[in-house]
């Protein structure tokens, strides 16, 4: 279940970003109608799946599919149509997220396998720590350009010098 929750949260990040773009132009009406309608459609699908004898993990799978549809199909179209973005800009957003996510995965996966025989708390702390560090490094070096990194460094230096 937890892996599905992480994937759903990852997709929700895109929805949140697109929602911010729609909110910036003052046009959230379409999103406010479409998003709950698609999420509501999950209920009958899950109900039918349960009646057919599927396992409780079906809820997570259906929610993942619905969120993927919203994040990868509906929201990009709304942002292009309403907020004036181009499909290339939306594609660049996905591409950057992919380029940041991919390199941040190997080290936590390696730590997961190295700590298999350890206790639950040691695995939790080890994997959590390596996940945070690998994502931060990946975002810092891949997800940000030099100008943004310099602005962050200047901001931190100005706060620390006070």
């Amino acid at each position: 279940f937890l892996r599905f929750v992480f994937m759903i949260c990852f997709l929700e990040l895109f929805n949140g970003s697109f929602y911010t773009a729609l909110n910036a132009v003052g046009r959230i009406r379409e999103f406010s109608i479409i998003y709950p309608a698609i999420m509501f459609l999950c209920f009958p699908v899950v109900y039918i799946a349960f009646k057919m004898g599927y396992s409780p993990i079906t809820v997570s799978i259906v929610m993942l599919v619905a969120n993927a549809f919203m994040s990868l199909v509906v929201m990009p179209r709304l942002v292009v149509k309403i907020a004036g973005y181009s499909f290339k800009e939306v594609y660049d957003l996905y591409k950057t997220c992919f380029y940041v996510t991919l390199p941040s995965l190997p080290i936590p996966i390696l730590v997961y396998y190295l700590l298999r025989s350890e206790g639950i708390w040691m695995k939790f702390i080890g994997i959590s720590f390596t996940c945070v560090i690998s994502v931060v490094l990946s975002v810092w070096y891949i997800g940000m350009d030099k100008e943004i990194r310099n602005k962050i460094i200047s901001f931190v230096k100005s706060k620390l010098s006070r």
Side-chain angles (χ1 to χ4, degrees):
F1 283 111
L2 191 57
R3 291 180 187 150
F4 283 112
V5 170
F6 282 136
M7 288 188 279
I8 291 168
C9 288
F10 183 72
L11 291 171
E12 282 292 328
L13 289 172
F14 290 121
N15 284 339
S17 299
F18 294 141
Y19 177 80
T20 302
L22 294 174
N23 195 21
V25 295
R27 297 276 310 273
I28 59 170
R29 179 180 36 161
E30 290 88 348
F31 172 81
S32 298
I33 293 169
I34 295 171
Y35 185 77
I38 289 175
M39 292 300 128
F40 182 74
L41 289 175
C42 293
F43 289 116
V45 172
V46 170
Y47 179 78
I48 292 169
F50 282 161
K51 282 292 189 182
M52 293 173 63
Y54 285 93
S55 72
I57 196 104
T58 305
V59 174
S60 296
I61 295 169
V62 170
M63 292 303 293
L64 179 63
V65 169
N67 274 294
F69 180 70
M70 279 299 297
S71 298
L72 302 173
V73 177
V74 175
M75 291 303 286
R77 290 184 186 275
L78 286 177
V79 168
V80 167
K81 177 183 166 197
I82 296 170
Y85 285 88
S86 68
F87 278 112
K88 184 189 179 328
E89 290 170 317
V90 173
Y91 171 75
D92 288 342
L93 170 74
Y94 289 126
K95 186 173 69 172
T96 301
C97 288
F98 178 75
Y99 287 155
V100 167
T101 301
L102 200 60
S104 66
L105 291 176
I107 295 173
I109 291 171
L110 178 68
V111 169
Y112 171 78
Y113 284 108
L114 290 174
L115 297 178
R116 263 191 307 200
S117 61
E118 298 295 325
I120 188 89
W121 286 107
M122 184 61 161
K123 281 195 322 193
F124 173 73
I125 291 168
I127 293 169
S128 298
F129 180 75
T130 55
C131 281
V132 169
I133 296 300
S134 66
V135 168
V136 166
L137 290 174
S138 185
V139 167
W140 184 259
Y141 288 109
I142 299 169
M144 291 185 206
D145 58 17
K146 189 171 180 138
E147 179 184 339
I148 294 174
R149 282 195 301 268
N150 288 337
K151 284 182 181 179
I152 292 172
I153 291 169
S154 298
F155 177 77
V156 170
K157 282 181 179 177
S158 71
K159 293 296 180 183
L160 291 176
S161 66
R162 285 187 181 180

